[in-house]
Amino acid sequence: MSEKKVYLKPNVVFEPLFDRWYAWSHLISPATAAMNIVGRHLSIIDSYIEAPHAHAEAALIPKMKGGPFMDLGGKRVDEIKSLRDKTLKQQEKAIQLASAIKELDGLLTRDAKGMGLDAMYEKVPDTLKGYVELYYDRNNNADFRLFEPLLYQSEYYKPDSQSLALWITNNDHRPFCLSTPRLDEENVLHLNIPFDHKGIDELARMKRTPSELSKIKQLLGVSGSREEALFETFFTDEAPPPYNKYTGDKIRMRYYGHACILIETKDVSILVDPLISYYGYSTGLEHFSDVDLPETIDYVLITHNHQDHILFETLLPLRHKVKHFIVPRTAGGKLVDPELKLMFDNIGFSNVTDLAEMQTLREGDTAITALPFTGEHSDLNIIGKACYLVEISGFKLMFMADSRVVEPALYSNIQRQVGNIDVLFLGMECDGAPLTWLYGPLMTRKVTREQDGSRRLAGSDCAKGMTLVDIFEPDEVYVYAMGMEPWVEFISSIQYTDESNPIVQSNKLVKVCKNRGIAAERLYGEKELLYNRKDVILDTE
């Protein structure tokens, strides 16, 4: 008698972990992972062990959410001590790598004075020998670039640090992801498998296609009475709601929260910056979930390398159904700007294309162009970022993500190349976190308080946003990527009031647009938009 087939429940979380910390892109590239282990993880661990109750008090203050404070209520100190000991032992090589990077930075600052660098290679720390090239910029400031592909093939890349925590969620409440590690819980099953494990794709398929429980257990290596019993609670006989493929003759745009938009015609589906909530529980806010995604997604577009735009928790379960992942092209081996395609290649994404600025990918009546993305990266020399122009049968959508329009002439130049657009999506988190909030572990020299406060991860305000409206003359303008939805808070740490500057600025932009006869709205929760401009005729044959 054949075994009964079951479905994976739609609210099972695929929580990606690195050394039990929430995994994001800077924990994959070996050099940025090393710097975060030392400059973020161990720093927070040591602080918690020293003053757990101070962390507990800080975690209760809304303005402190997103800070380096463990949200463990001042408890479980022994487990954190154990995590520290395990980290020091298992990440010994990564800790050495971080130390060598800091040492090399100091060496170049002290000894490289514009003369030839050949002799300097002898002074490079042994840990980094053969993994760096030294150079000067045009002002004789010395720096180094990493041979990042070689680091992925070295002892400094440890896929066994990656794991997957599976659990069922019925709400959106979680500690801030960068500050609190995932300790053992009765309802959480930890799978010690790397992100390229084929079992992840097979498990994700079971959300739509039922399979035998014994088969997936064996593939994922689930064994032991407690583990098997917990694993079995993740499955159901009940089929998920059917997905109704869009077959109309318009462009359908669905907003899933934050910066995630699904664009659909009867022929193509494009998902931008996937960050998908879960199905099966009520949050008091209507929202699309992954049951509202197509069976096959033609393109996934990634705008930039921040944890709220590259979310492995969403990307890993989607991986099996995506034909093409599009990422910004990165090059140069800079510590602050790890190569995105290389990262995805190393964690099991085999269908990744990187686009350079103003490069276009065309297929049929669809064209995707990577546009320059300015601002929001604290004035660091980061090129691994792109806005996207999506054109379908002459209909043009522009996704500006968190761009800050620091030089309007750039976009005037772009407009001369691409023309006006129909729909503009623009992020307006215009205050932004300071430089060190995200990039602090990568900075080997002290950043002053004044520098930190002036170099922020900020998007456009009303004036800068209206610059884009004036240049591209869109028919519709939508403010998005504000981090407002409850299922985004554990990633963004954002909590707005009506008086918050991003709310004030986005309200102002929406009002100005409406006064000009432009459809405008700040998106929140879920939204379905249909567009059918009179002079755009989609091929319906």
Side-chain angles (χ1 to χ4, degrees):
M1 185 175 179
S2 61
E3 182 181 348
K4 183 179 180 181
K5 294 184 177 182
V6 293
Y7 295 91
L8 184 68
K9 291 179 179 177
N11 57 337
V12 172
V13 178
F14 287 53
E15 188 173 31
L17 301 177
F18 176 95
D19 279 356
R20 289 298 185 96
W21 295 82
Y22 195 83
W24 63 295
S25 50
H26 278 200
L27 295 180
I28 305 300
S29 177
T32 54
M35 299 298 283
N36 273 276
I37 289 168
V38 173
R40 191 184 303 276
H41 298 172
L42 288 173
S43 176
I44 293 174
I45 285 173
D46 288 342
S47 175
Y48 188 79
I49 292 172
E50 182 178 349
H53 294 296
H55 281 247
E57 292 172 5
L60 294 175
I61 302 172
K63 288 186 177 181
M64 304 294 275
K65 191 175 180 68
F69 307 108
M70 280 196 200
D71 191 359
L72 295 174
K75 302 175 181 178
R76 310 185 73 169
V77 176
D78 287 343
E79 291 174 81
I80 296 301
K81 288 180 179 179
S82 178
L83 179 62
R84 183 183 189 276
D85 293 342
K86 186 176 180 180
T87 301
L88 291 173
K89 180 179 179 180
Q90 295 187 349
Q91 297 295 348
E92 180 182 4
K93 293 296 182 181
I95 293 168
Q96 291 173 2
L97 179 61
S99 177
I101 288 171
K102 186 174 182 178
E103 181 182 345
L104 179 58
D105 255 354
L107 173 70
L108 295 176
T109 300
R110 184 181 68 249
D111 294 347
K113 303 298 183 182
M115 306 302 288
L117 289 169
D118 287 9
M120 193 68 65
Y121 280 90
E122 298 176 7
K123 301 180 181 181
V124 171
D126 289 344
T127 297
L128 280 172
K129 284 188 184 297
Y131 292 113
V132 295
E133 180 180 22
L134 311 181
Y135 67 90
Y136 289 113
D137 68 14
R138 290 182 300 105
N139 294 308
N140 283 333
N141 298 308
D143 206 341
F144 66 90
R145 76 177 185 95
L146 297 160
F147 294 113
E148 201 175 355
L150 293 178
L151 284 173
Y152 272 102
Q153 302 302 318
S154 75
E155 60 189 344
Y156 303 114
Y157 178 58
K158 295 191 64 174
D160 58 359
S161 295
Q162 301 166 13
S163 64
L164 195 68
L166 300 177
W167 50 284
I168 295 175
T169 184
N170 56 17
N171 60 65
D172 295 315
H173 305 301
R174 287 194 238 176
F176 178 59
C177 68
L178 299 186
S179 299
T180 304
R182 165 63 78 176
L183 303 181
D184 288 343
E185 305 285 353
E186 287 187 3
N187 65 326
V188 179
L189 178 64
H190 289 274
L191 299 178
N192 294 318
I193 56 175
F195 298 152
D196 64 356
H197 195 285
K198 64 180 181 180
I200 295 174
D201 297 326
E202 294 305 313
L203 182 64
R205 283 190 178 94
M206 291 179 69
K207 287 191 173 187
R208 285 282 178 192
T209 305
S211 185
E212 297 87 358
L213 194 55
S214 60
K215 179 180 176 182
I216 193 65
K217 277 185 186 178
Q218 182 177 12
L219 185 58
L220 292 171
V222 177
S223 61
S225 56
R226 183 250 172 204
E227 289 77 10
E228 290 191 54
L230 178 57
F231 189 64
E232 290 172 6
T233 66
F234 301 153
F235 298 87
T236 178
D237 298 332
E238 185 178 349
Y243 176 75
N244 296 318
K245 178 178 169 59
Y246 181 69
T247 58
D249 59 357
K250 299 179 175 63
I251 303 281
R252 183 169 80 172
M253 298 165 282
R254 281 184 162 182
Y255 173 69
Y256 284 71
H258 195 47
C260 183
I261 308 287
L262 175 66
I263 310 153
E264 287 180 287
T265 71
K266 70 178 187 64
D267 296 318
V268 68
S269 58
I270 302 171
L271 187 63
V272 183
D273 282 344
L275 195 165
I276 310 294
S277 185
Y278 294 92
Y279 176 82
Y281 64 91
S282 173
T283 65
L285 179 64
E286 293 295 323
H287 64 282
F288 293 121
S289 69
D290 64 354
V291 302
D292 301 299
L293 291 174
E295 300 292 343
T296 299
I297 299 171
D298 294 296
Y299 300 97
V300 161
L301 310 184
I302 301 294
T303 57
H304 61 295
N305 193 5
H306 289 165
Q307 80 276 11
D308 54 333
H309 295 263
I310 297 179
L311 194 75
F312 297 138
E313 183 175 324
T314 292
L315 290 171
L316 288 172
L318 286 184
R319 180 170 58 191
H320 71 281
K321 64 165 62 182
V322 178
K323 290 183 179 180
H324 306 284
F325 289 89
I326 310 298
V327 302
R329 181 165 297 168
T330 317
K334 296 188 294 293
L335 177 64
V336 296
D337 195 17
E339 185 179 339
L340 288 177
K341 184 180 186 305
L342 184 63
M343 178 201 71
F344 278 111
D345 287 345
N346 276 276
I347 57 172
F349 291 75
S350 60
N351 47 353
V352 180
T353 299
D354 54 350
L355 289 183
E357 293 171 343
M358 301 308 296
Q359 185 177 5
T360 300
L361 178 68
R362 298 182 186 276
E363 185 173 343
D365 65 353
T366 300
I368 299 168
T369 302
L371 304 177
F373 179 151
T374 59
E376 217 263 331
H377 287 73
S378 302
D379 299 315
L380 294 169
N381 182 19
I382 291 175
I383 63 173
K385 54 186 180 178
C387 303
Y388 290 101
L389 174 67
V390 175
E391 186 172 357
I392 305 172
S393 297
F395 173 78
K396 297 178 182 177
L397 306 93
M398 185 177 286
F399 298 91
M400 297 301 292
D402 300 325
S403 294
R404 187 170 179 84
V405 184
V406 293
E407 176 48 79
L410 168 66
Y411 295 99
S412 295
N413 291 336
I414 293 172
Q415 192 277 340
R416 283 192 286 271
Q417 296 296 317
V418 305
N420 288 342
I421 63 171
D422 299 293
V423 179
L424 170 67
F425 290 90
L426 174 66
M428 294 188 66
E429 211 295 275
C430 52
D431 288 347
L435 161 69
T436 56
W437 182 76
L438 197 65
Y439 294 106
L442 307 184
M443 312 300 289
T444 59
R445 303 171 195 171
K446 185 175 178 57
V447 177
T448 68
R449 189 180 185 90
E450 292 76 15
Q451 290 170 335
D452 200 28
S454 70
R455 294 170 59 184
R456 306 190 76 87
L457 294 148
S460 290
D461 58 15
C462 178
K464 295 181 185 301
M466 287 308 300
T467 298
L468 292 175
V469 175
D470 292 338
I471 291 171
F472 291 102
E473 300 181 10
D475 296 327
E476 301 179 11
V477 176
Y478 298 103
V479 177
Y480 78 146
M482 298 288 278
M484 298 169 60
E485 287 79 17
W487 55 90
V488 185
E489 189 177 320
F490 84 100
I491 304 161
S492 69
S493 76
I494 291 174
Q495 292 180 321
Y496 291 134
T497 68
D498 290 342
E499 290 73 38
S500 298
N501 191 42
I503 299 300
V504 172
Q505 292 293 320
S506 55
N507 283 342
K508 184 178 177 181
L509 180 135
V510 168
K511 183 177 180 180
V512 172
C513 287
K514 286 182 175 179
N515 287 341
R516 293 188 184 184
I518 301 169
E521 182 180 348
R522 185 178 60 238
L523 301 178
Y524 179 63
E526 75 170 43
K527 183 77 174 184
E528 181 169 301
L529 306 160
L530 293 174
Y531 194 94
N532 190 18
R533 202 181 71 192
K534 292 181 180 179
D535 59 338
V536 172
I537 301 175
L538 296 181
D539 181 7
T540 58
E541 295 182 1

